[in-house]
Amino acid sequence: MKIVDARVIVTCPGRNFVTLKLVTDDGLTGVGDATLNGRELAVASYLRDHVVPTLIGRDASRIEDTWNYLYKGAYWRRGPVTMTAIAAVDTALWDIKGKAAGMPVYQLLGGRSREGVTVYGHANAETVEGVLAEVARYVDLGYKAVRVQAGVPGLATTYGVSGDKMFYEPADAAVPTEAVWSTERYLAHTPGVFAQVRDEFGPNLKLLHDVHHRLTPIEAGRLGKSLEPHALTWMEDPTPAELQDSLRLIRQHTTTPIAIGEIFSGIWDCQQLITEQLIDYIRATVVHAGGITHLRRIFDLAALYQVRSGSHGATDLSPVCMSAALHLDVAIPNFGLQEYMRHTAETDAVFPHGYHFADGYLHPAEEPGLGVDIDEDLAAQYPYRPAALPVNRLEDGTLHSW
Ligand code: CS2
Ligand code: MG
């Protein structure tokens, strides 16, 4: 089963996506998400110029060998661009493997470990009243878990609060927009938001919050401690995690569970976090952490240390990534939660898929492979549009994590 064609498709049905489509000599096709928000063309070029020429003629059944060929063969290992490109190839090869076997990919990963994949929605608003209304809306939609993001008085904008309530696209301009941040205002306001949400919705609704890399470890310890009475399922990205030791400091001060990893591109980014149990959920994804092959390794390491999965699932991860994620989510023993930011109808039309939402769960497609494709003719109608993620500055102008 040889690869005879490999196409890199860049499309922008409301936001940019990069997709790799592989074709074999017996007519099987496979797709892989290669989208890296704000750096899409870097991955498209890495694939087109450096990976695709090496794929033509390769045996599509050799997933592990191809993964190592691309990882070790690059010499320059790791990093988000490289690992997103490898992820796209890996995901497409698993899609082909499932089709060749006549099974949904989760069957090749050990079969079902659960009936459905519990997902969380995104309640966000400028005011607490607005947040309460949004949480109620997600509860009415059947969600069992809801992420809560609220505006901060005195700040014009903050992460996760958007005008559009079902979709969230932060890459809003060709040149990064600049936002202003105040940790003091945020730390003073956030505990009260969760006190009101928990008071309104009772003890059983899973509540989550994304700090989005903005605190120092001791500030994160303070936030976690202040949130303990409200029993969050997780506090996400409390501090930038390049220095994995940082999480030791947060752990010393709070029992609020921690989720990290959406920007990680491989097991080495989280090995210490997992083996020292410094986190409770690992948020690495199929599209950014080397594909199904590598993400499975991360989840298996995590299982040894009672760390659960909590994969990223924002709008800038395509339905191809979501489809692949669900096959892992439904099969691994240590599944935790799956993020589910819905895509627009435009995007769903470009990426026809078989997964569906019901009663707080996402269910993977049952057809052979991943159960997703890309409509290349429709994709061609949406040309790439330059879009960068914002940057953040403190009130004195200091550049800060966004
Ligand atoms: C966020 C993302 O969903 C999340 O947890 O961290 O929305 C993130 O900001 C975007 O994916 C960045 O492109
Ligand atoms: Mg996040």
Side-chain angles (χ1 to χ4, degrees):
M1 186 164 62
K2 302 289 185 198
I3 297 170
V4 294
D5 190 14
R7 298 192 286 271
V8 179
I9 303 145
V10 181
T11 183
C12 187
R15 65 141 291 108
N16 295 308
F17 293 106
V18 182
T19 307
L20 174 69
K21 186 159 198 172
L22 301 182
V23 184
T24 69
D25 54 2
D26 43 9
L28 292 179
T29 62
V31 287
D33 188 11
T35 306
L36 185 64
N37 201 358
R39 295 296 181 271
E40 292 87 355
L41 297 188
V43 182
S45 167
Y46 191 105
L47 284 168
R48 277 196 192 108
D49 301 327
H50 304 292
V51 171
V52 164
T54 70
L55 294 179
I56 305 305
R58 278 190 71 86
D59 181 347
S61 68
R62 297 192 176 201
I63 298 178
E64 194 70 59
D65 181 63
T66 300
W67 197 96
N68 283 281
Y69 177 85
L70 295 175
Y71 180 78
K72 296 174 181 173
Y75 185 74
W76 312 103
R77 300 181 182 190
R78 304 165 68 187
V81 173
T82 297
M83 298 305 281
T84 299
I86 292 175
V89 177
D90 184 79
T91 305
L93 292 177
W94 275 103
D95 194 11
I96 290 168
K97 179 79 78 178
K99 290 174 180 175
M103 288 186 238
V105 168
Y106 73 76
Q107 292 292 8
L108 305 178
L109 299 172
R112 279 182 178 278
S113 297
R114 55 196 55 78
E115 298 318 307
V117 173
T118 307
V119 293
Y120 67 88
H122 296 73
N124 72 83
E126 272 305 324
T127 66
V128 179
E129 294 69 28
V131 164
L132 295 175
E134 281 297 294
V135 174
R137 189 161 68 87
Y138 276 94
V139 170
D140 290 346
L141 286 169
Y143 284 80
K144 302 173 183 351
V146 181
R147 187 185 82 170
V148 172
Q149 304 293 137
V152 175
L155 296 182
T157 63
T158 190
Y159 165 73
V161 178
S162 67
D164 197 322
K165 292 308 170 197
M166 277 313 260
F167 321 104
Y168 180 59
E169 181 43 71
D172 56 4
V175 174
T177 52
E178 302 219 348
V180 176
W181 174 252
S182 162
T183 294
E184 294 74 16
R185 296 174 189 272
Y186 167 77
L187 289 176
H189 182 64
T190 301
V193 172
F194 282 91
Q196 292 188 59
V197 174
R198 187 56 83 196
D199 183 54
E200 177 85 9
F201 293 94
N204 299 321
L205 180 63
K206 292 180 189 289
L207 297 178
L208 308 98
H209 180 62
D210 194 345
V211 186
H212 219 262
H213 324 277
R214 297 183 178 194
L215 303 181
T216 64
I218 202 65
E219 291 166 347
R222 173 182 156 194
L223 175 66
K225 190 180 291 185
S226 70
L227 293 174
E228 283 174 14
H230 316 311
L232 269 63
T233 297
W234 80 44
M235 166 173 73
E236 178 180 333
D237 285 330
T239 196
E242 294 97 318
L243 179 63
Q244 297 183 45
D245 285 349
S246 299
L247 277 295
R248 290 176 177 159
L249 192 54
I250 303 175
R251 276 309 215 207
Q252 288 166 12
H253 292 279
T254 182
T255 58
T256 294
I258 295 171
I260 276 185
E262 67 180 52
I263 66 170
F264 291 171
S265 58
I267 201 163
W268 305 109
D269 292 338
C270 52
Q271 185 212 0
Q272 181 188 355
L273 298 175
I274 290 170
T275 57
E276 292 188 19
Q277 297 178 315
L278 298 177
I279 58 175
D280 303 281
Y281 297 87
I282 179 65
R283 286 191 34 82
T285 66
V286 168
V287 60
H288 297 134
I292 290 172
T293 299
H294 194 63
L295 187 59
R296 178 60 194 261
R297 294 214 152 86
I298 292 174
F299 288 160
D300 285 349
L301 175 68
L304 300 180
Y305 294 89
Q306 298 190 67
V307 174
R308 286 173 284 182
S309 73
S311 287
H312 187 204
T315 310
D316 48 279
L317 286 62
S318 88
V320 174
C321 178
M322 181 55 81
S323 299
L326 293 174
H327 285 279
L328 264 175
D329 289 340
V330 85
I332 58 172
N334 56 323
F335 169 76
L337 272 178
Q338 171 65 51
E339 179 174 8
Y340 179 39
M341 269 190 198
R342 293 175 187 245
H343 291 103
T344 63
E346 263 181 319
T347 296
D348 286 343
V350 171
F351 296 99
H353 55 268
Y355 63 79
H356 69 281
F357 175 84
D359 191 28
Y361 299 100
L362 272 180
H363 299 275
E366 286 296 339
E367 66 203 73
L370 296 176
V372 63
D373 203 345
I374 181 168
D375 180 330
E376 294 184 68
D377 294 335
L378 190 54
Q381 295 177 28
Y382 299 104
Y384 169 78
R385 186 176 65 210
L389 286 166
V391 297
N392 231 355
R393 290 186 184 277
L394 300 179
E395 290 169 304
D396 69 359
T398 304
L399 206 287
H400 194 69
S401 298
W402 173 71

